[in-house]
Amino acid sequence: MEIIVDHTLSLRAVTVEDTERVFAITDASRSTLREWLPWLDMTTEVQHTRAYIESNIAGYKERKCLSAVILFHGKIVGIAGFNNINHANETVYIGYWLSKGAQGHGIMTKVVHALCQYAFEELQFNKVEIRAAVGNTKSRAIPERLGFVKEGTIRSAEWLYDHFVDHVVYGMLANEWTKTS
Ligand SMILES: CC(C)(COP(=O)(O)OP(=O)(O)OC[C@H]1O[C@@H](n2cnc3c(N)ncnc32)[C@H](O)[C@@H]1OP(=O)(O)O)[C@@H](O)C(=O)NCCC(=O)NCCS
């Protein structure tokens, strides 16, 4: 899978050759990412990133998930994709993170727009869902910018190291996407 977003930005399915770079940006952005992602303390060595990538490649082969590297001017700056692909319900669940230095430029909003287009046009699915912690304003701003509908809140949806956070659920349906994009 490869998606050219524009002349500076593209996405492609992650490969084991990406391991070193993905681990390097994870390590360099550790404190920023750890605020909202639960796996930083389990990702302390390059082999942990390799195991994550290998399990994603296996999941992709079974059409269960899709993890893509984000390339900005040819360099990997983050990961985005479908954490889960639910074929029976024609729904994908998008997840994402960006290295510290790549944040604040609108990269992820463009990437998520491209992933929605892929889900609706390529996969012909009916729904894209994004879940973010209530306090994660930067993440929530992405579905909000793209016109997703805020569908509700799930209480104590995720354990983050030493506390639970509630999640806000955002949804976009295929028929809404055609009208907004
Ligand atoms: C969530 C996350 C990817 C958001 O990153 P981001 O850089 O804020 O998102 P975008 O790339 O879409 O950029 C938006 C920012 O760029 C600015 N921007 C500049 N040009 C822009 C453009 N053309 N379009 C949209 N935004 C633009 C926006 O104003 C915004 O900045 P602001 O928050 O200061 O207003 C990032 O904070 C992250 O990796 N967080 C940790 C992991 C995480 O929380 N993942 C999600 C779990 S649900």
Side-chain angles (χ1 to χ4, degrees):
M1 168 274 199
E2 192 175 12
I3 301 175
I4 309 292
V5 181
D6 61 27
H7 67 289
T8 60
L9 192 60
S10 64
L11 281 168
R12 69 157 166 75
V14 71
T15 69
V16 283
E17 286 73 35
D18 299 322
T19 302
E20 299 278 344
R21 171 72 185 162
V22 173
F23 179 73
I25 61 169
T26 302
D27 210 31
S29 310
R30 192 168 287 282
S31 57
T32 322
L33 299 178
R34 194 179 182 279
E35 193 178 357
W36 299 114
L37 297 174
W39 43 263
L40 274 300
D41 292 359
M42 295 176 280
T43 313
T44 54
E45 292 171 33
V46 76
Q47 73 221 41
H48 301 143
T49 298
R50 190 186 175 93
Y52 161 81
I53 289 176
E54 282 172 348
S55 92
N56 264 279
I57 292 169
Y60 183 45
K61 281 186 188 144
E62 293 171 20
R63 300 168 69 225
K64 287 181 180 165
C65 61
L66 165 62
S67 186
V69 286
I70 300 166
L71 294 152
F72 186 57
H73 292 287
K75 270 187 108 178
I76 296 174
V77 295
I79 297 274
F82 306 141
N83 294 335
N84 182 13
I85 303 177
N86 186 324
H87 292 269
N89 296 328
E90 293 187 14
T91 301
V92 292
Y93 299 82
I94 291 184
Y96 42 74
W97 60 268
L98 272 179
S99 69
K100 207 172 161 185
Q103 296 184 18
H105 304 292
I107 292 174
M108 197 56 86
T109 301
K110 285 189 204 168
V111 162
V112 173
H113 184 277
L115 284 171
C116 288
Q117 225 156 354
Y118 186 83
F120 293 127
E121 286 164 27
E122 194 79 18
L123 302 180
Q124 298 270 304
F125 270 24
N126 182 55
K127 187 170 184 183
V128 174
E129 204 175 291
I130 296 176
R131 296 181 177 204
V134 170
N136 192 352
T137 47
K138 287 194 180 296
S139 179
R140 290 180 57 181
I142 293 168
E144 285 173 4
R145 257 184 226 115
L146 294 174
F148 277 60
V149 172
K150 183 179 159 188
E151 299 186 338
T153 305
I154 301 178
R155 297 179 302 152
S156 291
E158 187 178 24
W159 175 253
L160 281 178
Y161 308 98
D162 56 4
H163 64 290
F164 283 107
V165 288
D166 297 350
H167 276 181
V168 185
V169 178
Y170 291 94
M172 173 69 76
L173 299 177
N175 62 354
E176 296 164 345
W177 182 253
T178 332
K179 286 178 208 146
T180 56
S181 65

